[in-house]
């Protein structure tokens, strides 16, 4: 019998994409070095204004297209190709705030964008809560979570570290046991929203 035929499993759905963790981080580091002072200034502005911020990071350049499609595509399906390409070439910052600040996100984003415009920087800010990240998982948008996990941290209270640990572990599990794995799931403090830099990462694998 074909070893790949395992009952109740759609194996193609769970085939992992290779995640060049080092490459993604190195590209982000180069971007940081180019605009280090400006990014530090922006980070200081954000943390002073919004001390509840959970993380700020630079998304890997190769993932920009996916995030633009996620954030802009559904709202404006007629977005001109030229404008779409221009958006993908920006530096993309990913910022996480607590779920209880969800209703304030439009106001927070507006304030940060105004600061970015004052500094004349070509930066796009993605402002999300942890629940938004988990929703990406429920929607099978695993490549977005992977990109967040390998993003270059400018500030992190623990959520980015936990996601990175989970991403590396998931990749190792799938390399060895991919044909048996139905789902890789994270739980515990990272999902509850009280993760810290010293928190462990609770994970379980469904086979």
């Amino acid at each position: 019998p074909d070893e790949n035929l395992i009952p109740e499993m759609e194996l193609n759905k769970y085939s992992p994409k290779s995640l060049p963790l080092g490459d993604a981080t190195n590209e982000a580091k180069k971007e940081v070095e180019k605009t280090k002072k400006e990014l530090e200034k922006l980070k200081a502005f954000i943390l002073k204004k919004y001390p509840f911020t959970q993380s700020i990071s630079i998304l890997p350049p190769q993932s920009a297209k996916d995030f633009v499609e996620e954030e802009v595509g559904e709202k404006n399906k007629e977005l001109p190709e030229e404008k779409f390409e221009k958006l993908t070439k920006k530096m993309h910052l990913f910022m996480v705030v607590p779920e209880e600040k969800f209703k304030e996100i439009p106001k927070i984003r507006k304030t940060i964008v105004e600061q970015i415009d004052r500094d004349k920087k070509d930066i796009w800010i993605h402002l999300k809560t942890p629940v938004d990240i988990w929703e990406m998982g429920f929607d099978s948008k695993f490549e977005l979570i992977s990109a967040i996990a390998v993003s270059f941290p400018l500030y992190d209270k623990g959520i980015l570290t936990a996601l990175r640990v989970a991403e590396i572990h998931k990749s190792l599990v799938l390399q060895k046991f991919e044909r048996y794995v139905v789902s890789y799931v994270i739980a515990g403090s990272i999902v509850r929203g009280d993760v810290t830099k010293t928190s462990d990462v609770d994970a379980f694998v469904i086979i």
Side-chain angles (χ1 to χ4, degrees), residues 1-7 11 179:
D2 188 338
E3 290 183 342
N4 290 319
L5 294 178
I6 301 175
L11 295 184
R179 68 194 184 95

Side-chain angles (χ1 to χ4, degrees), residues 61-182:
Q62 63 267 33
S63 71
K65 182 179 178 182
D66 293 332
F67 280 88
V68 172
E69 286 178 345
E70 168 73 9
E71 196 156 310
V72 180
E74 288 303 313
K75 295 177 184 176
N76 188 357
K77 294 184 178 179
E78 301 302 318
L79 189 70
E81 184 68 25
E82 186 178 334
K83 187 174 181 181
F84 179 83
E85 288 299 322
K86 188 176 180 181
L87 290 177
T88 63
K89 286 180 169 58
K90 290 176 178 284
M91 177 185 286
H92 288 254
L93 290 189
F94 192 86
M95 177 177 166
V96 180
V97 297
E99 182 60 30
E100 59 265 25
K101 301 296 181 180
F102 173 75
K103 292 182 179 179
E104 297 178 39
I105 283 180
K107 184 179 177 181
I108 296 170
R109 179 186 280 113
K110 183 175 183 292
T111 301
I112 296 174
V113 168
E114 286 172 352
Q115 180 64 33
I116 290 171
D117 290 342
R118 279 195 293 271
D119 292 340
K120 298 179 180 178
K121 292 300 163 192
D122 203 17
I123 295 173
W124 181 278
I125 183 86
H126 301 269
L127 195 52
K128 304 291 183 182
T129 70
V131 172
D132 291 324
I133 299 175
W134 314 143
E135 287 292 337
M136 293 173 188
F138 292 136
D139 293 338
S140 299
K141 295 174 181 177
F142 308 123
E143 69 283 355
L144 298 181
I145 298 178
S146 295
I148 296 165
V150 302
S151 63
F152 184 79
L154 297 175
Y155 176 79
D156 179 28
K157 283 186 176 178
I159 188 169
L160 290 178
T161 301
L163 280 174
R164 183 171 299 231
V165 168
E167 188 65 32
I168 292 170
H169 183 249
K170 182 193 78 174
S171 297
L172 293 173
V173 168
L174 292 178
Q175 280 177 31
K176 191 167 181 68
F177 303 112
E178 178 189 351
R179 68 194 184 95
Y180 298 111
V181 176
V182 176

